[in-house]
Amino acid sequence: LKKCVDQQMPFGLVLVRENSRLGRGTPHAIGTFAVITEVEEIPEGTCVVPAQHRGNCYHIVCHGDERFRVTALDRREAEYLVGDVDPYPD
């Protein structure tokens, strides 16, 4: 999130086929880039999100942008999947 905000770059969202949202399920092949439009930093200990997490929490507002196709995944990342993508126009 910090990198996306600092460098004003989007991040990718892809629906997961199986498991919970906190699991490492298999993602669908098509996703969308999300552009962050607002960020509110919530100090540690005051976040209302029920999931356990460390450090500050961030409430973000974003909008969907262009679609992409996932061409490769790297499952070695500790907290989130990383992948290679190609544009997938409407």
Side-chain angles (χ1 to χ4, degrees):
L1 177 64
K2 182 170 176 28
K3 181 177 180 179
C4 291
V5 171
D6 290 349
Q7 297 180 15
Q8 296 182 336
M9 61 188 273
F11 62 93
L13 291 173
V14 181
L15 182 65
V16 174
R17 293 181 189 269
E18 56 201 40
N19 294 339
S20 71
R21 72 180 180 91
L22 298 176
R24 294 305 269 306
T26 303
H28 284 268
I30 305 299
T32 187
F33 287 111
V35 177
I36 299 169
T37 58
E38 295 177 40
V39 178
E40 178 184 4
E41 186 172 1
I42 309 299
E44 184 172 8
T46 61
C47 182
V48 297
V49 175
Q52 283 188 344
H53 56 279
R54 296 184 315 271
N56 292 352
C57 185
Y58 296 87
H59 293 180
I60 65 171
V61 175
C62 49
H63 73 270
D65 201 18
E66 297 180 14
R67 297 187 315 166
F68 59 80
R69 178 186 301 277
V70 178
T71 58
L73 288 175
D74 181 353
R75 295 182 176 274
R76 295 174 293 175
E77 289 291 330
E79 297 184 45
Y80 51 86
L81 291 175
V82 173
D84 295 328
V85 299
D86 286 332
Y88 190 72
D90 287 334

